[in-house]
Protein backbone atom coordinates (compact mmCIF):
# COMPACT_ATOMS: atom_id res chain seq x y z
CA UNK A 1 0.00 0.00 0.00
CA UNK A 2 1.60 3.33 -0.99
CA UNK A 3 2.21 5.65 1.96
CA UNK A 4 0.13 8.33 0.21
CA UNK A 5 -2.96 6.20 0.70
CA UNK A 6 -2.92 5.68 4.48
CA UNK A 7 -2.77 7.69 7.64
CA UNK A 8 -0.13 6.76 10.15
CA UNK A 9 -1.51 4.50 12.84
CA UNK A 10 -3.50 6.78 15.13
CA UNK A 11 -4.02 6.43 18.86
CA UNK A 12 -7.70 5.64 18.89
CA UNK A 13 -9.90 4.74 21.80
CA UNK A 14 -12.83 2.36 22.03
CA UNK A 15 -15.30 3.77 24.52
CA UNK A 16 -16.60 1.17 26.95
CA UNK A 17 -18.60 3.28 29.37
CA UNK A 18 -18.75 6.87 30.56
CA UNK A 19 -15.09 7.83 31.02
CA UNK A 20 -13.81 4.27 30.41
CA UNK A 21 -12.04 3.21 27.26
CA UNK A 22 -9.36 0.95 25.85
CA UNK A 23 -6.60 2.06 23.50
CA UNK A 24 -7.25 1.01 19.93
CA UNK A 25 -4.90 1.59 16.98
CA UNK A 26 -6.77 3.04 13.98
CA UNK A 27 -5.67 3.70 10.43
CA UNK A 28 -7.60 5.20 7.52
CA UNK A 29 -6.91 4.05 3.97
CA UNK A 30 -7.82 5.69 0.69
CA UNK A 31 -7.55 4.08 -2.71
CA UNK A 32 -8.00 6.24 -5.81
CA UNK A 33 -9.54 3.18 -7.50
CA UNK A 34 -12.43 3.44 -5.01
CA UNK A 35 -12.60 7.24 -4.97
CA UNK A 36 -15.80 7.70 -2.97
CA UNK A 37 -14.79 5.76 0.13
CA UNK A 38 -12.27 5.40 2.91
CA UNK A 39 -11.53 2.31 4.96
CA UNK A 40 -11.07 2.45 8.72
CA UNK A 41 -9.04 -0.49 10.00
CA UNK A 42 -7.60 -1.57 13.31
CA UNK A 43 -4.01 -2.77 12.77
CA UNK A 44 -2.74 -5.32 15.23
CA UNK A 45 -6.17 -6.79 15.93
CA UNK A 46 -7.32 -10.06 14.43
CA UNK A 47 -9.60 -10.23 11.40
CA UNK A 48 -12.67 -10.67 13.64
CA UNK A 49 -12.45 -6.96 14.51
CA UNK A 50 -12.88 -6.20 10.83
CA UNK A 51 -12.61 -2.99 8.86
CA UNK A 52 -15.25 -0.42 7.98
CA UNK A 53 -15.67 1.19 4.58
CA UNK A 54 -17.68 4.38 4.35
CA UNK A 55 -17.95 7.63 2.44
CA UNK A 56 -14.92 9.90 2.28
CA UNK A 57 -17.34 12.86 2.19
CA UNK A 58 -18.95 11.55 5.40
CA UNK A 59 -15.56 11.57 7.13
CA UNK A 60 -14.87 15.12 5.92
CA UNK A 61 -18.32 16.35 6.92
CA UNK A 62 -17.99 14.70 10.33
CA UNK A 63 -14.92 16.81 11.04
CA UNK A 64 -17.15 19.90 10.91
CA UNK A 65 -20.66 18.86 11.98
CA UNK A 66 -22.60 15.81 13.12
CA UNK A 67 -22.94 13.58 10.07
CA UNK A 68 -24.32 10.26 8.96
CA UNK A 69 -27.38 8.13 9.30
CA UNK A 70 -27.41 4.38 9.55
CA UNK A 71 -24.36 2.24 10.29
CA UNK A 72 -21.75 5.02 10.52
CA UNK A 73 -22.23 8.33 12.31
CA UNK A 74 -19.57 10.91 13.06
CA UNK A 75 -19.36 13.82 15.48
CA UNK A 76 -16.75 16.56 15.26
CA UNK A 77 -14.41 17.61 18.03
CA UNK A 78 -15.86 20.08 20.51
CA UNK A 79 -13.10 22.43 21.74
CA UNK A 80 -15.61 24.19 24.01
CA UNK A 81 -15.83 20.98 26.05
CA UNK A 82 -12.14 20.14 25.67
CA UNK A 83 -12.77 17.41 23.09
CA UNK A 84 -10.21 17.27 20.30
CA UNK A 85 -11.20 13.88 19.02
CA UNK A 86 -13.47 12.81 16.22
CA UNK A 87 -16.13 10.39 17.47
CA UNK A 88 -17.21 7.63 15.09
CA UNK A 89 -20.12 5.35 15.92
CA UNK A 90 -20.17 2.01 14.12
CA UNK A 91 -23.34 -0.10 14.19
CA UNK A 92 -23.30 -3.68 13.02
CA UNK A 93 -25.16 -6.92 13.52
CA UNK A 94 -23.19 -7.66 16.68
CA UNK A 95 -23.72 -4.28 18.33
CA UNK A 96 -22.52 -0.71 18.43
CA UNK A 97 -19.06 0.68 19.04
CA UNK A 98 -17.94 4.26 19.63
CA UNK A 99 -14.40 4.96 18.50
CA UNK A 100 -12.53 8.21 19.07
CA UNK A 101 -9.54 9.31 16.99
CA UNK A 102 -7.53 12.54 17.06
CA UNK A 103 -9.15 14.90 14.57
CA UNK A 104 -6.10 16.90 13.50
CA UNK A 105 -4.18 14.08 11.75
CA UNK A 106 -7.38 12.89 10.03
CA UNK A 107 -8.06 16.41 8.72
CA UNK A 108 -4.43 16.80 7.61
CA UNK A 109 -4.45 13.43 5.85
CA UNK A 110 -7.70 14.15 4.01
CA UNK A 111 -6.48 17.58 2.85
CA UNK A 112 -2.86 16.75 2.15
CA UNK A 113 -3.02 13.24 0.75
CA UNK A 114 -6.50 11.97 -0.04
CA UNK A 115 -7.79 15.14 -1.71
CA UNK A 116 -4.42 15.54 -3.44
CA UNK A 117 -4.85 12.12 -5.04
CA UNK A 118 -8.48 12.71 -6.04
CA UNK A 119 -9.87 16.20 -5.37
CA UNK A 120 -13.35 16.53 -3.87
CA UNK A 121 -15.94 16.65 -6.62
CA UNK A 122 -13.66 14.85 -9.10
CA UNK A 123 -14.30 11.31 -7.83
CA UNK A 124 -16.45 10.39 -10.83
CA UNK A 125 -13.43 10.83 -13.08
CA UNK A 126 -11.71 7.96 -11.23
CA UNK A 127 -14.71 5.72 -10.57
CA UNK A 128 -14.70 2.33 -12.24
CA UNK A 129 -18.40 2.77 -13.04
CA UNK A 130 -19.59 5.21 -15.67
CA UNK A 131 -22.66 6.42 -13.78
CA UNK A 132 -23.95 8.54 -16.66
CA UNK A 133 -23.90 5.55 -18.98
CA UNK A 134 -25.53 3.34 -16.35
CA UNK A 135 -28.29 5.88 -15.74
CA UNK A 136 -28.92 6.20 -19.48
CA UNK A 137 -29.08 2.41 -19.75
CA UNK A 138 -31.56 2.17 -16.87
CA UNK A 139 -33.77 4.93 -18.23
CA UNK A 140 -33.87 3.20 -21.60
CA UNK A 141 -34.77 -0.10 -19.90
CA UNK A 142 -31.75 -2.10 -21.06
Amino acid sequence: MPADCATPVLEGRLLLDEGKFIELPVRFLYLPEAPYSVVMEFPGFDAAVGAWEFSRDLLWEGLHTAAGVGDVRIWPPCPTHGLRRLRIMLQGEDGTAMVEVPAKPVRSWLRGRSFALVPRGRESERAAVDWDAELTRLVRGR
Side-chain angles (χ1 to χ4, degrees), residues 7 10-15 21 24 26-28 38-40 42 54-68 72-79 82-90 97-110:
T7 63
L10 304 173
E11 294 178 11
R13 302 190 306 196
L14 174 65
L15 299 179
F21 58 87
L24 179 71
V26 176
R27 178 172 44 211
F28 290 93
V38 294
V39 175
M40 186 169 104
F42 309 97
F54 53 91
S55 165
R56 180 174 75 158
D57 283 345
L58 174 63
L59 183 58
W60 179 252
E61 184 180 349
L63 283 162
H64 305 96
T65 187
V72 179
R73 297 179 186 192
I74 303 176
W75 291 270
C78 181
L83 302 174
R84 292 190 168 92
R85 293 178 163 264
L86 189 63
R87 292 164 289 150
I88 303 171
M89 184 180 76
L90 306 168
M98 182 70 79
V99 177
E100 292 185 342
V101 295
K104 188 174 181 178
V106 173
R107 182 179 293 111
S108 295
W109 171 73
L110 279 170

